[in-house]
Amino acid sequence: GESVGLHLPTLSVQEGDNSIINCAYSNSASDYFIWYKQESGKGPQFIIDIRSNMDKRQGQRVTVLLNKTVKHLSLQIAATQPGDSAVYFCAEKRGAGNMLTFGGGTRLMVKP
Amino acid sequence: DADVTQTPRNRITKTGKRIMLECSQTKGHDRMYWYRQDPGLGLQLIYYSFDVKDINKGEISDGYSVSRQAQAKFSLSLESAIPNQTALYFCATSERTGRQFFGPGTRLTVL
């Protein structure tokens, strides 16, 4: 079936390094993608989104890249900090229904 | 104040009991959702509502029901709780663009 998935379930990085979290999607009809951050015991928090008519979008310390050719989405976090430790989910939306399909998540661990 | 609130935040109950989880939002969004999250896994959609008169089943609606009492309120009920419904439950609201805003979650344990 069509799904959103992640390559790496756990990513460990050194504080100050850049982090890259990847996501593969299989539905070429998806037109909107979101990255969420979920800290332990909390609900998912919006980080950044991107529409399918864009390749790149930047926020504060975060960048999302969309490669529609290979159906790949990535989240780059610059100068990773201990507060970035969390589980990161990508989600895709198909069509006008606003329904999101979530990936399984990647746990980011930041080493001091 | 939080835009999306959920009550209770934690609940322990016994098999066969009826449980209601409540969600309120102050964002003014028409669209509301209930998700379930099992440990180490992603979010699965239980039910969603695009307005007060619109209720739709998600991918895992069996064993659950919902009520949209007002634009700002969307409750989830487990008619007869069973242990495999032990999970984290999240309510969310969305704009028409698709971005969803999540509540803090309810941790439900069914013994």
Side-chain angles (χ1 to χ4, degrees):
Chain A
E2 296 171 327
S3 64
V4 172
L6 294 172
H7 297 306
L8 300 173
T10 303
L11 177 64
S12 184
V13 300
Q14 202 71 39
E15 181 178 356
D17 288 351
N18 296 334
S19 302
I20 300 176
I21 300 171
N22 297 301
C23 179
Y25 66 96
S26 57
N27 192 330
S28 58
S30 294
D31 59 2
Y32 178 64
F33 302 87
I34 307 177
W35 280 102
Y36 285 95
K37 173 186 180 183
Q38 186 177 22
E39 297 175 276
S40 181
K42 297 183 179 180
Q45 298 174 281
F46 171 87
I47 301 173
I48 193 167
D49 57 3
I50 189 168
R51 298 207 171 277
S52 58
N53 61 353
M54 302 173 68
D55 297 323
K56 179 180 180 179
R57 192 168 187 212
Q58 289 183 292
Q60 186 177 12
R61 282 203 305 120
V62 295
T63 301
V64 56
L65 298 176
L66 177 62
N67 185 331
K68 293 180 285 294
T69 301
V70 296
K71 299 187 183 66
H72 185 267
L73 188 72
S74 68
L75 176 70
Q76 300 179 1
I77 304 174
T80 311
Q81 302 170 359
D84 295 326
S85 294
V87 176
Y88 290 80
F89 293 95
C90 65
E92 62 175 332
K93 182 181 80 70
R94 301 191 288 269
N98 277 20
M99 308 315 300
L100 293 180
T101 301
F102 288 85
T106 292
R107 182 175 299 280
L108 177 64
M109 300 175 62
V110 182
K111 297 178 288 187
Chain B
D1 287 341
D3 295 318
V4 184
T5 58
Q6 293 183 233
T7 56
R9 293 295 314 280
N10 288 282
R11 181 71 184 268
I12 300 174
T13 190
K14 295 181 178 180
T15 297
K17 294 292 186 180
R18 185 178 188 274
I19 298 298
M20 179 179 286
L21 309 183
E22 300 189 7
C23 176
S24 295
Q25 53 115 346
T26 58
K27 300 190 75 68
H29 292 161
D30 288 327
R31 303 180 181 201
M32 298 186 73
Y33 310 80
W34 274 105
Y35 290 92
R36 167 180 172 153
Q37 186 178 40
D38 293 288
L41 299 180
L43 296 161
Q44 295 177 282
L45 183 64
I46 306 172
Y47 270 95
Y48 61 101
S49 170
F50 282 177
D51 65 41
V52 174
K53 299 179 181 178
D54 178 77
I55 301 289
N56 303 281
K57 292 182 177 181
E59 55 189 309
I60 57 162
S61 60
D62 287 348
Y64 303 94
S65 62
V66 291
S67 174
R68 185 81 184 267
Q69 302 93 323
Q71 186 205 39
K73 296 184 182 298
F74 191 36
S75 60
L76 175 72
S77 293
L78 287 67
E79 298 302 325
S80 180
I82 55 178
N84 76 1
Q85 291 178 311
T86 293
L88 271 172
Y89 290 85
F90 290 101
C91 174
T93 73
S94 79
E95 307 164 325
R96 290 182 179 272
T97 57
R99 176 178 169 181
Q100 293 187 13
F101 298 82
F102 286 83
T106 295
R107 183 175 298 277
L108 177 66
T109 302
V110 183
L111 302 177

